[in-house]
Every structure is written in C-alpha cells, then in structure tokens.
Amino acid sequence: MEAVLAHLRIRPTELARAIERAPSTLNRFLNDPDATHDLSPETVERIADYAKLRPYERPAERAPRVSGMAEAEAIAYRPEGDRDGVMNQAVEQLVGMRNGVDPWVLQSSALSSIGYLPGDVMLVDLNERPRPHDVVCAQVYDWMRSKAQTVFRLYEPPYLLASTTDQSVLRPLVVDDNVVVVKGVVTASVRPRRNLGRAA
C-alpha cells in the first residue's frame, strides 16, 4: 500500500475518497503494526483500478520528487561557483577517471566533531560498500510526502549517526533500505579556502 501511495503521490485519505471507502479503512490497515486484518478483495481491486495496476502489483519505483524538506544538509557540487578554478581542479583530480564518484557540498554541521565542516566538498564513491565507522552519503525518504533529503553520517550498523553538538541532527537513523538508504561512501574531501574577512 505504501508503494502505491508513493507512486500516486497522494495521502491515504485522498486515496480513500477516490475509491469511495472510509479513510479509516486504509488508515487502520496502514497503521496496524501487527497487521491483524486485510483489505477486502473489492477494496484491493478499486485501489488497483485507480492506480492503473493489477491487483497486488507493485508499481515501478521512481525517484522521489524533492520539495520542501528542512534546510538541505548537502547540495550537489557545481564547478561554476569556483571563481579561480582551484577547487574545481582539486575535485577533478580526486575524481580522476573513476566512474560513480559524486561530489557534494556539505551544508550542515552533522559531522563537525570529526572534522567535516559546512562548505567541504565530499567525494562519494557510489560503488563502495560501507563498513563500520565509514562516513557515508545517504538518502532519507518521506514516501508519504514524496520528499527526500541527502545526509552525511557515520555508519555504525544498522545506524547512521551524527557527530556534532547540533541537537537538530542527533537523532540516529536506522538503515532499512527503504526510508534510509546508504548511497555511497565518502572517500575524500576538499576544504575550500575561506575568506577570513581581513580588514583592508
């Protein structure tokens, strides 16, 4: 059911209205951790018809649309922001000829206690399997709202942990390969030269 809702990008109450069922029918099914009841075959049929699927067919997964999450913890690196080209050269050298290495600019202080600061360019190897104590890049999905956020954390299986005094990011994330998915391992980072604001 969650996959169908994510595919349709609607809430359970909207789906219930569309298939002419009481919202409590779908909400009770979705929120029952012990799954003590099933949806009736007629309800399943209506959901399938509305979603243009066969009954019990899982929709093809698509990347979630990112919109409206809290302030981004990381953004994709863009070389055009490098005025003198030094950062771009450094990133190109580190990426080299390796396929599957993505540069990201860290925006949060989630890893400040272990030396990664906002503005650092993190090089993420998408082909590397994470090991305990690795710094990883992960996606945190909110399937109900069709949102996702890229985060950087320490990998301590099965958790992703922040290393900071910033209370807003201290909650551990459980890697479940559905809501929290590790995308790659940080293999290098580059710190830009910062303007120290010296007086003229």
Side-chain angles (χ1 to χ4, degrees):
M1 169 83 76
E2 289 90 352
V4 171
L5 291 167
H7 173 73
L8 294 172
R9 297 184 179 195
I10 61 175
R11 292 187 168 83
T13 52
E14 294 169 285
L15 178 59
R17 272 189 237 114
I19 64 169
E20 301 177 343
R21 290 290 185 256
S24 62
T25 301
L26 299 185
N27 284 325
R28 190 176 45 221
F29 176 77
L30 287 167
N31 297 325
D32 183 359
D34 299 322
T36 57
H37 71 283
D38 291 325
L39 295 174
S40 72
E42 185 180 341
T43 300
V44 171
E45 188 87 31
R46 285 181 181 216
I47 292 170
D49 286 345
Y50 184 77
K52 297 181 180 18
L53 298 166
R54 292 186 306 274
Y56 304 102
E57 178 185 12
R58 190 172 178 85
E61 291 203 18
R62 61 181 172 186
R65 183 177 56 211
V66 178
S67 62
M69 277 198 121
E71 184 177 325
E73 286 198 26
I75 57 173
Y77 174 75
R78 301 278 184 254
E80 57 270 9
D82 184 14
R83 274 185 247 128
D84 58 8
V86 173
M87 273 299 288
N88 196 31
Q89 286 178 342
V91 170
E92 283 180 10
Q93 287 289 320
L94 288 168
V95 170
M97 300 299 285
R98 296 183 298 165
N99 288 327
V101 176
D102 284 345
W104 287 83
V105 180
L106 193 61
Q107 299 286 294
S108 84
S109 59
L111 298 172
S112 60
S113 295
I114 57 170
Y116 295 100
L117 302 176
D120 288 358
V121 177
M122 313 289 272
L123 297 167
V124 179
D125 189 332
L126 304 175
N127 300 313
E128 192 76 26
R129 293 189 63 110
R131 294 183 297 223
H133 317 300
D134 279 344
V135 173
V136 299
C137 174
Q139 290 279 278
V140 180
Y141 297 103
D142 181 344
W143 294 109
M144 295 299 291
R145 293 180 181 85
S146 298
K147 299 176 186 176
Q149 184 175 33
T150 300
V151 300
F152 284 80
R153 299 287 192 274
L154 278 170
Y155 180 60
E156 298 294 342
Y159 301 104
L160 298 182
L161 305 173
S163 182
T164 182
T165 57
D166 182 352
Q167 297 293 316
S168 68
V169 295
L170 282 179
R171 183 177 58 90
L173 302 170
V174 178
V175 177
D176 63 0
D177 295 325
N178 179 33
V179 174
V180 179
V181 180
V182 173
K183 293 297 188 179
V185 176
V186 173
T187 56
S189 68
V190 181
R191 180 158 301 147
R193 182 176 180 184
R194 304 212 193 288
N195 180 354
L196 301 177
R198 286 177 281 183

